[in-house]
Amino acid sequence: KRSTPVSRIETLIKTMQWDIPQGLPVAVETLRGDMDPETMATAMQVIVRFGSKSDAEKMVPLLDDSRVTGEAGYGAGQLIQSQVRDVAIAAIAILHDVPLAEVGFPRAEKHPMLGFTTLGIGYAETQKEIRLKNIKRVVELVSENAKDGGS
């Protein structure tokens, strides 16, 4: 909790590298702040690494955040950009044991230290409908979990 916004990303990365689950509250707090997209993405990785299915609801507000976190590569000759909401889709899916390929990220992977890699997470400009469909899907997952009492 002592990290400043400037050092927040370093703190989050070190909690994963050094296997410090006490970094989870810092990651959750980060989601509530107005941090840069890369820091938000890293916070979601920490939540996947140390959190549980019940933590997914904390990422639902980010499903409206279209800020670019980076370029995920090219697919079918199109630039694929990763947005904060795409990383949230991936994080929520993982916490609900949904394979990343099922939410549009066939090249993305879970990672033992980082929770998941952000490479391969994103959609091409022509895939807006797929993104919206997967946003709806993960919102339904979170809603179903809340009805079941969380876990």
Side-chain angles (χ1 to χ4, degrees), residues 79-102:
L79 176 65
I80 297 173
Q81 285 191 325
S82 179
Q83 298 177 2
V84 172
R85 60 186 171 182
D86 303 334
V87 178
I89 290 169
I92 293 168
I94 291 169
L95 289 173
H96 286 86
D97 298 318
V98 173
L100 290 170
E102 289 185 20

Side-chain angles (χ1 to χ4, degrees), residues 79-137:
L79 176 65
I80 297 173
Q81 285 191 325
S82 179
Q83 298 177 2
V84 172
R85 60 186 171 182
D86 303 334
V87 178
I89 290 169
I92 293 168
I94 291 169
L95 289 173
H96 286 86
D97 298 318
V98 173
L100 290 170
E102 289 185 20
V103 290
F105 309 129
R107 294 188 186 109
E109 298 178 357
K110 293 190 331 186
H111 190 278
M113 182 176 61
L114 303 174
F116 61 99
T117 62
T118 56
L119 295 172
I121 293 177
Y123 299 96
E125 187 66 30
T126 58
Q127 296 179 306
K128 289 178 183 177
E129 291 302 316
I130 295 170
R131 175 184 280 131
L132 294 175
K133 178 187 87 166
N134 286 310
I135 287 173
K136 183 178 178 185
R137 180 171 184 199

Side-chain angles (χ1 to χ4, degrees), residues 23-41:
L24 181 60
V26 176
V28 170
E29 178 185 319
T30 300
L31 297 185
R32 288 190 225 125
D34 187 25
M35 298 285 177
D36 64 277
E38 186 179 356
T39 301
M40 300 293 273

